[in-house]
């Protein structure tokens, strides 16, 4: 049952991620590193608490290399992502950050792990990436900032690296334990910024609500679902499914924050959605055919 729900768990996780940039817009005076550090601390501690209380974690036998790579990748993803959103807007920043991740993920699998992506991955990814490119060149009031684009690409390769590392960890450890370990390690990496940066915004009602939303829903719940789904889905496929995040972020940016997209950008959104749908349908087809081929 859980295997059949895996693609949908990843999709729902991506939709929750898509709310993070919008939430950050309601705390615009907060720097990107501080927001990322709080996100990791809240999400990581909550996931660790759940893992400990449910006895789903052991602190022995963890492979050091993927754990360190995953922790560093997630620590880097936070400032890259929130900087991209701040510099280029929610729609474009999220699209570049997550839209570039499938390319990096597929290349890493192909070049390092010698796993050649399936044809349907190429089709869905090309559709989705083309949609992202079209959306990135929106001609209305969103600014395409070169530094923001570079930050987004940094977030993309960081997210791809995290996904690859996490997919290795969930083979031998419980998914919630894996993501809890990665996030707590990432929080430790960024913890010095709690003392360096101004954290007074956490004492304000608006700032606290934003931190709780991003930490609990857009991080703890989202990555719990993502890690469970990753146990049954290839990492390159999972990253392409994660393109539901920029789709969600773009729509929220338009309807909640007031960002504007031109007609061509809406075509890009539809192409992005088409790529995701193709991948989900192919996953369902593969599950139906599996018993026959066994």
């Amino acid at each position: 049952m859980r295997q059949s729900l895996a693609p949908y768990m990843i999709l729902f996780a991506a939709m929750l991620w898509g709310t993070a940039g919008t939430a950050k817009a309601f705390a615009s005076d907060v720097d990107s590193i501080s927001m990322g550090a709080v996100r990791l601390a809240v999400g990581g501690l909550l996931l660790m608490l759940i893992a400990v209380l449910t006895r789903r974690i052991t602190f022995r036998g963890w492979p050091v290399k993927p754990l360190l790579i995953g922790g560093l990748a997630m620590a880097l993803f936070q400032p890259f992502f929130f900087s991209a959103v701040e510099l280029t807007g929610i729609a474009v920043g999220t699209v570049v950050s997550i839209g570039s991740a499938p390319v990096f993920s597929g290349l890493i699998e192909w070049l390092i792990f010698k796993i050649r992506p399936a044809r349907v991955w190429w089709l869905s990814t090309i559709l989705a990436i083309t949609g992202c490119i079209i959306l990135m060149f929106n001609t209305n009031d969103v600014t395409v900032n070169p530094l923001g684009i570079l930050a987004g690409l940094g977030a993309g390769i960081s997210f791809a690296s995290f996904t690859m590392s996490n997919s290795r960890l969930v083979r031998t450890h419980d998914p919630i334990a894996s993501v809890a370990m990665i996030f707590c390690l990432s929080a430790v990496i960024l913890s010095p910024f709690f003392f360096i940066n101004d954290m007074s915004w956490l004492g304000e009602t608006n700032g606290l609500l934003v931190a709780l939303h991003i930490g609990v829903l857009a991080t703890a719940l989202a990555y719990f679902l993502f890690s469970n789904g990753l146990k049954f889905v290839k990492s390159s496929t999972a990253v392409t499914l994660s393109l539901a995040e920029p789709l969600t972020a773009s729509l929220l940016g338009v309807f909640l924050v007031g960002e504007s997209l031109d007609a061509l950008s809406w075509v890009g959104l539809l192409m992005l959605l088409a790529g995701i749908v193709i991948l989900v349908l192919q996953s369902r087809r593969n599950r139906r055919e599996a018993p026959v081929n066994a």
Side-chain angles (χ1 to χ4, degrees):
M1 180 65 177
R2 188 165 58 174
Q3 183 174 0
S4 65
L5 293 176
Y8 301 102
M9 295 170 72
I10 293 173
L11 277 177
F12 187 57
M15 292 172 66
L16 288 172
W17 292 332
T19 66
T22 302
K24 171 66 167 60
F26 290 97
S28 56
D29 294 332
V30 182
D31 66 276
S32 299
I33 295 181
S34 296
M35 180 62 73
V38 169
R39 179 185 192 181
L40 291 172
V42 174
L45 290 175
L46 181 57
L47 287 166
M48 183 62 72
L49 180 63
I50 295 172
V52 170
L53 291 177
T54 56
R55 299 181 180 180
R56 300 171 70 175
I57 189 170
T58 175
F59 296 99
R60 297 180 180 179
W62 287 90
V64 175
K65 187 175 180 180
L67 185 60
L68 288 177
I69 293 175
L72 180 60
M74 189 45 58
L76 291 173
F77 174 79
Q78 307 305 320
F80 278 141
F81 171 73
F82 286 118
S83 294
V85 167
E86 184 176 343
L87 292 171
T88 65
I90 297 169
V92 175
T94 309
V95 162
V96 177
S97 297
I98 306 302
S100 62
V103 176
F104 292 123
S105 180
L107 290 175
I108 291 172
E109 277 194 345
W110 195 357
L111 298 177
I112 297 180
F113 298 103
K114 310 302 179 184
I115 302 175
R116 187 169 184 173
R119 292 180 186 177
V120 70
W121 179 87
W122 288 106
L123 174 61
S124 59
T125 299
I126 288 172
L127 267 175
I129 295 300
T130 302
C132 287
I133 292 173
I134 292 174
L135 183 58
M136 186 175 71
F137 290 101
N138 170 53
T139 58
N140 282 3
D141 60 358
V142 177
T143 302
V144 180
N145 185 302
L147 289 178
I149 299 300
L150 288 176
L153 293 175
I157 194 169
S158 298
F159 184 75
S161 300
F162 157 76
T163 304
M164 304 293 291
S165 299
N166 197 25
S167 66
R168 292 185 61 189
L169 293 175
V170 298
R171 295 174 189 171
T172 55
H173 293 80
D174 186 88
I176 191 173
S178 298
V179 75
M181 288 291 288
I182 288 177
F183 271 66
C184 284
L185 177 59
S186 301
V188 170
I189 293 174
L190 292 184
S191 61
F193 292 98
F194 282 114
F195 306 99
I196 298 173
N197 294 357
D198 179 16
M199 304 299 294
S200 60
W201 58 275
L202 282 173
E204 303 172 1
T205 302
N206 193 53
L208 181 61
L209 289 176
V210 169
L212 288 175
H213 171 80
I214 291 180
V216 177
L217 297 180
T219 303
L221 177 58
Y223 279 96
F224 170 72
L225 293 171
F226 181 74
S227 292
N228 275 283
L230 197 60
K231 200 171 183 70
F232 304 103
V233 175
K234 286 176 58 179
S235 57
S236 56
T237 300
V239 173
T240 300
L241 288 171
S242 299
L243 290 173
E245 177 179 353
L247 179 64
T248 302
S250 298
L251 294 175
L252 290 176
V254 170
F255 293 112
L256 287 185
V257 183
E259 293 184 352
S260 180
L261 298 176
D262 57 24
L264 188 60
S265 294
W266 286 105
V267 174
L269 282 177
L270 290 176
M271 293 182 69
L272 177 55
L273 179 61
I276 295 170
V277 169
I278 288 173
L279 205 57
V280 171
L281 293 177
Q282 181 63 29
S283 297
R284 293 180 61 182
R285 180 182 176 185
N286 289 343
R287 289 195 302 273
R288 287 197 301 267
E289 293 177 351
V292 178
N293 297 331

